[in-house]
Amino acid sequence: MARVVQKFGGSSVADADSVKRVARRVVATQRAGNEVVVVISAMGDTTDELLELAKQVSPDPPARELDMLLTAGERMSAALLAMAIFDAGASARSYTGSQAGVITTAAHGDARIIDITPGRIVQGLEAGDIVIVAGFQGVAQDTKDVTTLGRGASDTTAVALAAALGADRCEIYTDVDGVFTADPRIVPAARRIPAISYEEMLELAANGAKVLHLRCVEYARRELVPVHVLSSFSDRPGTLVASFEEGTNMEAALISGVAHDLTEAKITVVGVPDEIGKAARVFSAIADVGVNIDMIVQNASVTDKTTAISFTLPDAERPIAIEALRAVQAEIGFRDIVYDDGIGKVSVVGVGMRSHPGVTARFFTALAEAGVNIAMISTSEIRISVVVDEAAVPAAVRAAHKAFGLDTASGEAVVYAGTGR
Ligand code: ASP
Ligand code: MG
């Protein structure tokens, strides 16, 4: 008998009928001779709606209470799914994250899993039940308060449980047929990636691909949990995220995929004195307020012994970063701060670039031919990213996708619900 963890995202349980459809799938998995643990997200837009409701009640709700509120979304879908499973002729028990033994840090809204004590889950399985766990939540080890793990983190719950339970399979059901070479809504010729390594998936997730939560991929890589990304709307083969010995993933192309991200902004600190320690002061000020920056470019000015330092960061964190910089402007002695929130990042990712020269040239030539201007560049061993004008992102993604031979004529990509959940 195999032990399977199946996670269903919000768009797979958007209404009563879809809850019943998920119930049938889960029961079929059990009848095929498996032990089944289901991790469930809140129905449809529930989490957004709860957040909106909280905002109407209070402009700045206490984080602890916000977590009490948001965890209710997953608790609802877990109980409803259990009911539907009984109706489909099997028996189930639903648990909150806390009951299921998901132990976390106390960082409300962004808690990390530090331990899983899955005793009750195992008991349920041994009794022959399907066990349902509310995703995206846990209980803080020290305060014993209910926590959430960050938006989209039901994926992470699933992988963490799969690791703790020694599951044979971890399946993430969503509303697309797997991981694609680009967002099918921008590139209709995108193709499904049959198999991809953890490190490539990490780069794609970190650079805007929304199909898997970033921390879920980090967790899967650390614990070596193979993850299958599948559609709950079809029976297609999906994508396997796993570790591959270099060169053994026969499906691998030079570039695995093209990711894009529209959530960043660019800040430029102008007229920074060209002296030792100034850049350190700029970035210390930003680090002190907990803002995570992404790309950095420094232009040395030839004339007036000052430089301009540009960096990108999540647009949502721009106000905090600017405030922190203003506070040290006089001390550091820079002239001004300007920002641009109309930018986008386009990244090509592939382990193949380790061994193949010319990837950068091909990427940049494609951008030039598409008339796209590059504002910033950054690279890792397996990724090249550029910042471009927000309006140029679709053209840039399509150009890169085509240049690396990723276009498929068959128009294979199907987006069933279109939210990536
Ligand atoms: N319901 C939560 C969210 O929308 C968690 C999840 O769906 O993974 O972020
Ligand atoms: Mg998701």
Side-chain angles (χ1 to χ4, degrees), residues 61-389:
R64 179 191 183 279
E65 302 309 325
L66 203 54
D67 276 356
M68 281 297 284
L69 180 70
L70 294 186
T71 50
E74 269 70 12
R75 184 170 176 158
M76 281 168 59
S77 48
L80 288 168
L81 179 62
M83 297 172 194
I85 287 174
F86 279 105
D87 267 1
S91 61
R93 49 182 90 179
S94 67
Y95 290 122
T96 65
S98 169
Q99 291 173 324
V102 180
I103 316 289
T104 72
T105 62
H108 286 291
D110 192 28
R112 308 282 147 141
I113 297 174
I114 44 188
D115 194 15
I116 306 246
T117 50
R120 297 180 80 179
I121 300 181
V122 173
Q123 266 173 26
L125 293 175
E126 281 169 357
D129 287 349
I130 293 169
V131 176
I132 304 165
V133 179
F136 154 76
Q137 56 181 272
V139 61
Q141 192 166 50
D142 32 1
T143 64
K144 303 287 183 274
D145 281 328
V146 166
T147 53
T148 63
L149 311 174
R151 298 303 307 269
S154 293
D155 295 351
T156 306
T157 305
V159 168
L161 287 181
L165 292 163
D168 301 282
R169 299 206 305 272
C170 180
E171 301 173 341
I172 308 273
Y173 286 90
T174 180
D175 59 9
V176 289
D177 283 329
V179 181
F180 279 76
T181 49
D183 185 338
R185 281 158 290 190
I186 290 191
V187 187
R191 64 174 80 195
R192 179 181 57 88
I193 305 174
I196 188 167
S197 64
Y198 293 122
E199 54 175 341
E200 287 168 299
M201 194 62 233
L202 266 183
E203 290 278 15
L204 288 175
N207 288 284
K210 285 177 215 59
V211 57
L212 280 182
H213 195 240
L214 176 60
R215 293 227 313 269
C216 146
V217 188
E218 286 169 352
Y219 212 107
R221 173 162 77 165
R222 194 169 61 240
E223 304 286 333
L224 291 177
V225 177
V227 176
H228 291 256
V229 183
L230 298 155
S231 166
S232 66
F233 297 82
S234 80
D235 285 308
R236 300 192 182 179
T239 299
L240 172 65
V241 186
S243 82
F244 298 96
E245 288 287 320
E246 201 77 34
T248 60
N249 179 6
M250 300 317 277
E251 316 268 15
L254 172 58
I255 293 300
S256 296
V258 185
H260 73 279
D261 186 350
L262 298 173
T263 64
E264 294 198 339
K266 178 172 80 169
I267 290 180
T268 304
V269 188
V270 188
V272 184
D274 195 0
E275 292 160 18
I276 289 171
K278 294 295 183 185
R281 287 294 299 124
V282 165
F283 290 107
S284 299
I286 293 160
D288 287 347
V289 289
V291 169
N292 239 324
I293 56 155
D294 183 14
M295 289 192 206
I296 305 172
V297 168
Q298 171 173 317
N299 304 307
S301 154
V302 268
T303 47
D304 64 349
K305 288 271 182 240
T306 67
T307 68
I309 299 176
S310 296
F311 59 92
T312 62
L313 76 173
D315 190 41
E317 295 178 4
R318 170 170 52 84
I320 316 169
I322 291 182
E323 197 186 303
L325 286 170
R326 286 277 176 233
V328 293
Q329 178 166 7
E331 178 215 325
I332 300 178
F334 60 80
R335 202 158 54 239
D336 204 1
I337 304 165
V338 293
Y339 74 85
D340 182 357
D341 56 1
I343 61 158
K345 182 169 66 170
V346 176
S347 309
V348 297
V349 172
V351 287
M353 68 176 80
R354 281 203 186 110
S355 47
H356 289 80
V359 173
T360 309
R362 204 196 292 190
F363 182 25
F364 291 1
T365 304
L367 293 175
E369 281 167 6
V372 176
N373 188 44
I374 301 171
M376 294 168 95
I377 300 166
S378 84
T379 63
S380 82
E381 211 186 335
I382 62 164
R383 172 185 53 83
I384 306 165
S385 300
V386 295
V387 165
V388 300
D389 218 42

